[in-house]
Amino acid sequence: LTPARMVQIEQDILSANNRYADDNRRYFGERGMLALNLVSSPGSGKTTLLTETILRLKDALNIAVIEGDQQTARDADRIRATGVPAVQINTGKGCHLDAHRVGHALESLNLPEKSLLFVENVGNLVCPSAFDLGEAHKVVILSVTEGEDKPIKYPDMFHAADLMILNKTDLLPYLDFDVEQCIRYAKQVNPKIRVLQLSAKTGEGMDNWLKWLRAELDLQGIGYA
Amino acid sequence: LTPARMVQIEQDILSANNRYADDNRRYFGERGMLALNLVSSPGSGKTTLLTETILRLKDALNIAVIEGDQQTARDADRIRATGVPAVQINTGKGCHLDAHRVGHALESLNLPEKSLLFVENVGNLVCPSAFDLGEAHKVVILSVTEGEDKPIKYPDMFHAADLMILNKTDLLPYLDFDVEQCIRYAKQVNPKIRVLQLSAKTGEGMDNWLKWLRAELDLQGIGYA
Ligand SMILES: Nc1nc2c(ncn2[C@@H]2O[C@H](COP(=O)(O)OP(=O)(O)OP(=O)(O)O)[C@@H](O)[C@H]2O)c(=O)[nH]1
Ligand SMILES: Nc1nc2c(ncn2[C@@H]2O[C@H](COP(=O)(O)OP(=O)(O)OP(=O)(O)O)[C@@H](O)[C@H]2O)c(=O)[nH]1
Ligand SMILES: [Mg+2]
Ligand SMILES: [Mg+2]
Ligand SMILES: [Zn+2]
Ligand SMILES: [Zn+2]
């Protein structure tokens, strides 16, 4: 396996993935759905953010979740406990979700028009950045416990995301985390990135996230040709 | 690219890596060195644990560090500030260190016999589990902020590690983290895993870690043929 051959293989994998991602994007577009790809380190609070979001929105919106994990159905179980449908994908050795498996999960969900679909990726701040799932946006969740330098040390993910959520702000009094520096680092890697600060645990800051979701969902219905 | 072809490619990559890992292992063995591969999610506290460890041991032992990150030389700079040599490897798009690049870093370090070498891997709880670097042990660091279920959701890494360090125990009063349940999960995946609890920030629990390091270093000199 020469380096050139390796690059070729990676391109083949990514372009096969991109074709499936385009299928998913068409599926979402035709139905006016908003699909978001939640990416982060393990344990940044993706599932907690989702269950807290669902509890606040499920009476008003159709919501569903696709969960990616190496093993267990714990996250899908946590979602289903809120009363919303969830499909668990177990990747085994795999370190990221791909568009093909997400497409099959979509078939089994069979969602109504204008649904809000969350895809929670495998916790991994590196590999999922390269795999388009057909989503409208990647949303990167960074826990303030992880340190402010993550955007410059793991830049591909922060470059790929349109929104960064700084989670676990309830812990800031016990940490040395510099919020402003973290935001500067994120913008250094991605000048267009938006930033929200919240605590999924206490609910502080959730309002702006809910507003963003509703506005993005409204946008999906407009101008799809 | 058929699935069978993909499996073949993965096997080729891993077996090429294993040959380099064997070279590294021979290098460590001949010099009575202890090499440890520190693996974790981004931000669990690997570099903080290293700088705190080095400050306590550098007068008694020869220590060096190989740092793996997608980008920046921040972690190597933090190590060098303690007065110990460090080599930074930037993986770019790559999600893990491989034995080949570690071998080249060893050449440039040119360490004395009986050295203690730490390799800090890219923060990633999935991919580095499959890549042997020739180390004596993988040490997995789990921050208590990440939740107790990480061992069963990301099992390959906890299966591959011989020691799990539960870090950031100073934050336990502000979390719902169930330490006993976490240890049960880790042992479910790897019945032989050892567990240490500590706070790299306050220094609480560091004594057992330092004892473990000294005992493991003593072991390396014995019986290498
Ligand atoms: N203090 C605090 N803890 C939180 C917050 N959000 C999540 N957590 C805790 O963080 C840990 C991980 O939360 P999860 O929601 O499972 O994180 P995740 O990103 O879904 O984890 P994986 O799917 O395993 O990668 C749990 O112990 C949560 O209770 C928060 O806003 N504040
Ligand atoms: N409260 C607390 N914070 C800690 C502890 N150890 C590390 N931290 C903090 O956790 C954040 C990440 O620490 P690092 O040492 O950079 O973590 P890392 O695993 O080396 O991070 P990467 O190399 O980027 O994956 C920093 O803000 C540290 O100050 C601890 O024991 N307690
Ligand atoms: Mg989760
Ligand atoms: Mg580090
Ligand atoms: Zn990957
Ligand atoms: Zn990977």
Side-chain angles (χ1 to χ4, degrees):
Chain A
L1 277 176
T2 63
R5 180 78 188 106
M6 281 300 302
V7 169
Q8 183 58 51
I9 290 165
E10 276 164 29
Q11 284 175 354
D12 290 351
I13 292 171
L14 287 175
S15 65
N17 182 75
N18 284 345
R19 285 191 294 276
Y20 288 110
D22 287 342
D23 292 344
N24 294 347
R25 201 170 355 261
R26 189 172 320 111
Y27 182 98
F28 302 138
E30 287 168 358
R31 287 163 184 76
M33 285 174 56
L34 174 63
L36 299 172
N37 181 359
L38 272 63
V39 289
S40 80
S41 303
S44 70
K46 299 178 291 299
T47 310
T48 307
L49 177 65
L50 285 180
T51 55
E52 292 302 314
T53 302
I54 290 166
L55 291 173
R56 288 164 171 82
L57 290 180
K58 68 174 178 170
D59 292 338
L61 303 176
N62 286 311
I63 307 180
V65 180
I66 296 174
E67 284 289 348
D69 280 293
Q70 283 195 279
Q71 291 295 345
T72 82
R74 289 174 68 88
D75 283 5
D77 290 343
R78 286 167 67 189
I79 300 297
R80 286 187 204 113
T82 68
V84 148
V87 173
Q88 180 77 51
I89 298 177
N90 281 144
T91 59
K93 300 274 166 209
C95 50
H96 58 86
L97 288 175
D98 63 61
H100 186 199
R101 293 198 71 180
V102 168
H104 282 299
L106 287 175
E107 284 169 18
S108 72
L109 278 169
N110 192 20
L111 296 170
E113 300 219 332
K114 299 189 194 311
S115 289
L116 172 54
L117 175 73
F118 294 105
V119 182
E120 180 181 339
N121 222 308
V122 180
N124 182 336
L125 209 45
V126 183
C127 314
S129 70
F131 288 82
D132 184 5
L133 306 179
E135 71 271 0
H137 303 287
K138 286 192 177 69
V139 177
V140 63
I141 292 101
L142 179 63
S143 162
V144 293
T145 57
E146 295 173 46
E148 53 278 281
D149 58 2
K150 295 305 95 91
I152 53 171
K153 296 187 64 193
Y154 301 83
D156 293 345
M157 191 64 91
F158 293 84
H159 186 78
D162 295 312
L163 175 64
M164 171 171 84
I165 294 182
L166 284 180
N167 188 29
K168 309 198 191 179
T169 54
D170 59 291
L171 295 175
L172 283 172
Y174 318 112
L175 307 172
D176 310 312
F177 188 88
D178 183 339
V179 171
E180 295 311 314
Q181 183 64 56
C182 183
I183 295 172
R184 272 196 298 275
Y185 283 147
K187 292 194 169 167
Q188 183 178 318
V189 167
N190 180 357
K192 289 187 174 174
I193 202 165
R194 288 173 189 272
V195 182
L196 294 174
Q197 300 176 45
L198 59 82
S199 166
K201 184 177 184 174
T202 68
E204 201 193 338
M206 288 282 286
D207 284 6
N208 273 330
W209 163 239
L210 301 181
K211 274 189 207 164
W212 185 86
L213 288 171
R214 284 175 176 281
E216 285 287 339
L217 183 54
D218 284 344
L219 276 175
Q220 301 313 307
I222 306 170
Y224 183 82
Chain B
L1 278 177
T2 62
R5 180 77 190 109
M6 281 299 303
V7 168
Q8 183 58 49
I9 289 165
E10 277 165 27
Q11 284 175 354
D12 290 351
I13 292 171
L14 287 175
S15 64
N17 183 75
N18 284 344
R19 285 191 295 275
Y20 288 109
D22 288 342
D23 292 344
N24 295 347
R25 200 170 355 262
R26 190 171 321 112
Y27 182 98
F28 302 137
E30 287 168 358
R31 286 162 184 78
M33 285 174 55
L34 174 63
L36 299 172
N37 181 358
L38 273 63
V39 289
S40 80
S41 304
S44 70
K46 298 178 292 299
T47 310
T48 307
L49 177 65
L50 286 179
T51 56
E52 292 301 314
T53 302
I54 289 166
L55 290 174
R56 288 164 172 82
L57 291 180
K58 68 174 178 171
D59 292 338
L61 303 176
N62 286 311
I63 308 180
V65 179
I66 297 173
E67 283 290 348
D69 279 293
Q70 284 196 278
Q71 291 295 345
T72 82
R74 289 173 69 88
D75 282 4
D77 289 343
R78 287 168 65 190
I79 299 297
R80 286 188 204 113
T82 69
V84 148
V87 173
Q88 180 77 52
I89 299 176
N90 281 144
T91 59
K93 300 273 165 209
C95 52
H96 59 85
L97 288 175
D98 63 61
H100 186 198
R101 293 198 73 179
V102 167
H104 282 299
L106 287 174
E107 284 168 19
S108 72
L109 279 168
N110 192 20
L111 298 170
E113 301 219 330
K114 300 192 192 311
S115 289
L116 172 54
L117 174 73
F118 295 105
V119 182
E120 180 181 340
N121 222 308
V122 180
N124 181 335
L125 210 43
V126 183
C127 314
S129 71
F131 288 81
D132 184 6
L133 305 179
E135 71 273 358
H137 304 286
K138 284 190 177 71
V139 177
V140 63
I141 292 99
L142 179 64
S143 161
V144 294
T145 57
E146 295 173 44
E148 54 278 280
D149 57 2
K150 295 307 94 97
I152 53 171
K153 295 186 64 193
Y154 301 83
D156 292 346
M157 192 64 90
F158 293 84
H159 185 78
D162 295 312
L163 175 65
M164 171 170 84
I165 293 181
L166 284 180
N167 188 30
K168 308 197 191 181
T169 55
D170 59 289
L171 295 175
L172 283 173
Y174 318 111
L175 306 172
D176 309 313
F177 188 86
D178 183 338
V179 172
E180 296 310 314
Q181 183 64 56
C182 183
I183 295 172
R184 273 196 296 276
Y185 283 146
K187 292 195 168 167
Q188 182 179 318
V189 166
N190 179 356
K192 288 186 175 175
I193 202 164
R194 288 172 189 274
V195 182
L196 293 175
Q197 300 176 44
L198 59 82
S199 166
K201 184 177 185 174
T202 68
E204 201 194 337
M206 287 282 285
D207 283 7
N208 273 330
W209 162 239
L210 301 180
K211 274 189 205 162
W212 184 85
L213 288 171
R214 286 175 176 280
E216 286 287 341
L217 183 55
D218 284 344
L219 275 175
Q220 300 312 307
I222 305 170
Y224 182 81

